[in-house]
Amino acid sequence: MLRLTPVVKNLLIINIVVFILQYVLQGMDFTGLISLWIIESDNFKPYQYFTYMFAHGGFGHILFNMLGLVFLGPLLEQFWGPKKFLIFYMVTGIGAGVLYSGIEYWRTSQLESDVTAYVIEPTPDHFSRFADEHGQYFNSKVYDFANDFSKNPEDPYYINQSKEIVKGTYQSLLNGSSMLGASGAVYGILMAFGLLFPNTQLMLLIPPIPIKAKYLVLILGGIALYSGLNRESGDNVAHFAHLGGMIFAFIMIKIWQQNRDKFY
């Protein structure tokens, strides 16, 4: 029978309460207030590095995150003790948000630079290149527009419309891109489990097959890295936050292992 340790139990309760509040307080945009927005956005607040990890985007989102927490978290809490486990959870969750912010800041700066360059010289070729380089922000209709623009390169309507599309992409990223969820901290827990108990067999839900913890960490880390570097249109998963949780977990555990007698 699954036994919830004190910190895991309290984290589970907090996540469930916040999830309920997200629906009760929809009119107040409670979710928007506690999600982590990119730094350049007017919606960004420093406290969001803490609050974002307790909010979720839907039932499936919170379900899978909490399953990871309650199945693996108690073993780490028993191994480390409540205080050390809580510190680990918070640092990996906040660290995931920090890496996400850093990557998004770089992406936003690149996009802003490309938008500025396009507005200066709006041509069909430049528009097509912009759409190809930033395809994750568009749907297939943008290529229909690019085709029409190429047939009317001097038409003021298409020139102005292309500028609006390009500038709208940047504004959409600023005001429509935020992150939420405990995934970064949960991926941190998974990394810790893989490092501390590498040969322990874990049972996957989909597909329901056993796999050693160390291999699961490698697979999920590889997926997060590949997906983050090759984002497709409509992909709203914060892959680098997952990777960030794993990276901070790895660093913390290595430091703790080197300073085993000095931690408390």
Side-chain angles (χ1 to χ4, degrees):
M1 183 176 179
L2 183 65
R3 177 180 175 271
L4 294 182
T5 46
V7 173
V8 169
K9 181 179 179 180
N10 286 320
L11 288 172
L12 177 63
I13 292 172
I14 292 170
N15 276 275
I16 292 174
V17 169
V18 171
F19 185 67
I20 293 172
L21 288 175
Q22 287 180 250
Y23 283 86
V24 173
L25 302 177
Q26 287 186 63
M28 298 174 56
D29 193 25
F30 179 68
T31 300
L33 291 173
I34 62 176
S35 298
L36 177 59
W37 294 83
I38 59 178
I39 294 173
E40 298 94 329
S41 173
D42 293 337
N43 297 317
F44 170 76
K45 300 290 185 297
Y47 68 78
Q48 294 166 355
Y49 283 113
F50 173 76
T51 59
Y52 90 91
M53 71 179 83
F54 298 104
H56 289 85
F59 180 74
H61 192 199
I62 190 173
L63 174 64
F64 281 100
N65 278 341
M66 293 303 99
L67 285 175
L69 173 63
V70 301
F71 278 111
L72 300 181
L75 296 174
L76 293 177
E77 186 175 343
Q78 290 173 347
F79 182 78
W80 281 328
K83 183 177 180 180
K84 194 170 181 179
F85 175 74
L86 181 60
I87 291 172
F88 176 84
Y89 186 89
M90 291 297 144
V91 171
T92 53
I94 293 172
V98 169
L99 182 64
Y100 165 84
S101 290
I103 295 294
E104 289 302 304
Y105 179 80
W106 177 81
R107 288 177 57 215
T108 304
S109 298
Q110 290 291 109
L111 180 60
E112 183 181 22
S113 177
D114 290 347
V115 168
T116 301
Y118 180 79
V119 171
I120 293 173
E121 193 174 359
T123 67
D125 287 343
H126 289 167
F127 183 82
S128 295
R129 189 179 305 120
F130 183 93
D132 288 339
E133 292 177 355
H134 304 286
Q136 68 266 35
Y137 304 120
F138 299 108
N139 57 39
S140 59
K141 291 182 179 180
V142 75
Y143 296 103
D144 294 333
F145 176 84
N147 185 53
D148 292 338
F149 187 16
S150 67
K151 297 175 182 177
N152 304 275
E154 305 297 330
D155 190 325
Y157 168 78
Y158 285 99
I159 293 174
N160 291 329
Q161 189 68 14
S162 70
K163 290 181 181 180
E164 292 302 316
I165 291 173
V166 167
K167 289 188 289 186
T169 303
Y170 177 70
Q171 291 301 320
S172 177
L173 180 61
L174 281 185
N175 301 311
S177 180
S178 64
M179 180 183 69
L180 72 171
S183 301
V186 171
Y187 268 67
I189 288 175
L190 180 62
M191 170 60 83
F193 201 87
L195 289 173
L196 298 173
F197 313 107
N199 295 312
T200 300
Q201 293 275 6
L202 300 175
M203 180 62 69
L204 299 179
L205 292 178
I206 304 173
I209 57 173
I211 184 173
K212 288 186 177 181
K214 59 185 177 182
Y215 298 134
L216 182 59
V217 167
L218 289 173
I219 291 171
L220 292 181
I223 291 174
L225 179 60
Y226 176 83
S227 300
L229 294 174
N230 299 274
R231 290 184 66 175
E232 298 181 356
S233 178
D235 184 357
N236 60 355
V237 177
H239 300 288
F240 281 113
H242 297 171
L243 195 62
M246 300 180 85
I247 291 172
F248 274 82
F250 180 86
I251 293 172
M252 288 185 70
I253 290 172
K254 291 305 177 182
I255 291 174
W256 287 352
Q257 289 176 337
Q258 292 176 1
N259 299 278
R260 192 182 305 272
D261 298 329
K262 302 177 183 178
F263 186 71
Y264 286 125

